[in-house]
Amino acid sequence: MNDDLRIHPFRIDVPQARLDDLRRRLAATRWPDELPGVGWSYGVPVGYARRLAEYWRTTFDWRAAEARLNAFPQFTTHIDGQNVHFLHVRSPEPGALPLIVTHGWPGSVAEFMHVIGPLTDPAAHGGDPSDAFHVVAPSIPGFGFSGPTTETGWDLERVARAWAVLMDRLGYRRYGAQGGDSGSVISPMLGRAAPGNVAGVHVNGALGFPSGDPAEFEGLAPAELARLGQYQDQDRAGYAIIQATRPQTLAFGLHDSPAAQLAWIVEKFKEWTDPARELPEDAVDLDQLLTDVSVYWFTETAASAARLYKEGQKGWGAAAEYSGVPHGVAVFPGDAGVRRIAEREHNVVHWSEFDRGGHFAAMEAPDLLIEDIRTFFRPLR
């Protein structure tokens, strides 16, 4: 399929009728029953979901969130037959290192609103100008303003190959890659797809998956064993199994009901944010969280975002060839990162562990993430 190689300016502008429709649907939600006294163990409590939905309907200001996103230069281009949306924020520092940052599910480019400024213009945020980056933050095909996808085959490796094309199209011949969640898989894949271009790969969370060989577990610290135990936790993996097997069936509810979309996403924020925080809004800014949920709703990408799991399921746990590209890992509370596992397939030269923050590090602990990215890339510039 031929691509339009041009890069087009883009601006988010959700029609008012869509906002009115969202509020109408939220007001008309038919709420389910629930068992007494079970808390979150059966899923999102109805009272909590109703409170968040009412805030979304009556208090959350999408236009303000839209303006915050539109403050960053945005563009679209076509790669491998697919529309790709991305933020492209160039640093005022001429020697800045290009850096492509990748979100995951249930994330979006809205995750990065608090890290882009310090990364691109450290001097304006109390940092060293020599740490500056030109930041490229694409929406994964099928997600947000890169969605929906229109054909099968958009797995993580294809996304990584598309990122290599995108950076080349932007004129960047040498650059870094960073990501969390799905981005922590896509970014190393980008390093393998374009090793001559990628100066280094930094991820937050886990890097690599256990092979199942009992020898991998010998001598690990209790905290590391606990992290690896997450891979056997079927309760935590339920969402992934559904999206990897029946994303289309799931999408009927998520596409039609904003309350369903809200609950499906907020449950992950409850489970994956800092374990020391009781509720998602204790760990992340509620308006930023609802900006993320709103991106899924207004772009109608519940189905195509879930398909990333279906497309990638065949590769779960598969061994990857060793990557000699320098890798750095930042492990936050609740993450599954274990250095021995990461080093099996990656050249790990930097490893950090933090006692605050969580899976959504760019939203929960942007200061820690920013400093760790800077520290990792300093010797690689």
Side-chain angles (χ1 to χ4, degrees), residues 45 139 154 212 223 352 378:
S139 299
W154 274 101
S352 300
R378 275 181 197 133

Side-chain angles (χ1 to χ4, degrees), residues 58-83:
T58 63
T59 306
F60 173 71
D61 186 347
W62 167 255
R63 291 303 183 201
E66 190 177 64
R68 285 191 290 271
L69 287 169
N70 281 332
F72 301 115
Q74 298 175 63
F75 305 88
T76 60
T77 191
H78 275 80
I79 300 173
D80 196 9
Q82 173 66 35
N83 175 65

Side-chain angles (χ1 to χ4, degrees), residues 89-309:
V89 187
R90 288 187 58 84
S91 171
E93 304 297 335
L97 176 69
L99 179 70
I100 183 167
V101 297
T102 307
H103 64 84
W105 184 92
S108 68
V109 294
E111 284 184 48
F112 304 125
M113 288 195 290
H114 297 312
V115 302
I116 291 176
L119 288 175
T120 55
D121 193 0
H125 295 81
D128 186 338
S130 66
D131 286 327
F133 297 92
H134 301 305
V135 171
V136 179
S139 299
I140 294 173
F143 287 67
F145 302 100
S146 286
T149 45
T150 57
E151 61 181 359
T152 60
W154 274 101
D155 60 10
L156 299 172
E157 288 191 14
R158 187 171 177 183
V159 176
R161 294 193 299 271
W163 282 188
V165 173
L166 174 61
M167 295 302 276
D168 182 72
R169 192 169 294 177
L170 292 173
Y172 294 137
R173 302 293 176 258
R174 186 175 184 273
Y175 50 87
Q178 200 284 328
D181 194 84
S182 301
S184 71
V185 183
I186 293 168
S187 299
M189 287 179 171
L190 174 56
R192 289 183 174 89
N197 304 101
V198 177
V201 174
H202 181 280
V203 305
N204 52 286
L207 181 63
F209 301 90
S211 66
D213 182 352
E216 278 190 331
F217 296 82
E218 294 177 2
L220 291 178
E224 293 175 315
L225 290 171
R227 291 176 199 162
L228 291 181
Q230 295 182 38
Y231 291 106
Q232 282 76 48
D233 188 343
Q234 293 299 308
D235 191 61
R236 287 174 63 95
Y239 82 97
I241 301 303
I242 293 173
Q243 295 197 151
T245 56
R246 297 294 183 269
Q248 192 62 46
T249 305
L250 172 68
F252 286 100
L254 303 186
H255 187 86
D256 188 60
S257 167
Q261 180 72 91
L262 174 65
W264 190 243
I265 289 178
V266 80
E267 182 186 78
K268 298 306 111 189
F269 277 83
K270 163 64 175 177
E271 291 188 346
W272 297 347
T273 49
D274 192 331
R277 307 295 183 178
E278 182 179 357
L279 294 173
E281 63 267 33
D282 298 330
V284 302
D285 178 76
L286 181 56
D287 284 354
Q288 190 179 14
L289 170 56
L290 289 174
T291 300
D292 182 66
V293 177
S294 298
V295 167
Y296 281 81
W297 178 257
F298 289 132
T299 59
E300 301 182 8
T301 50
S304 59
R307 286 197 292 265
L308 185 69
Y309 285 73

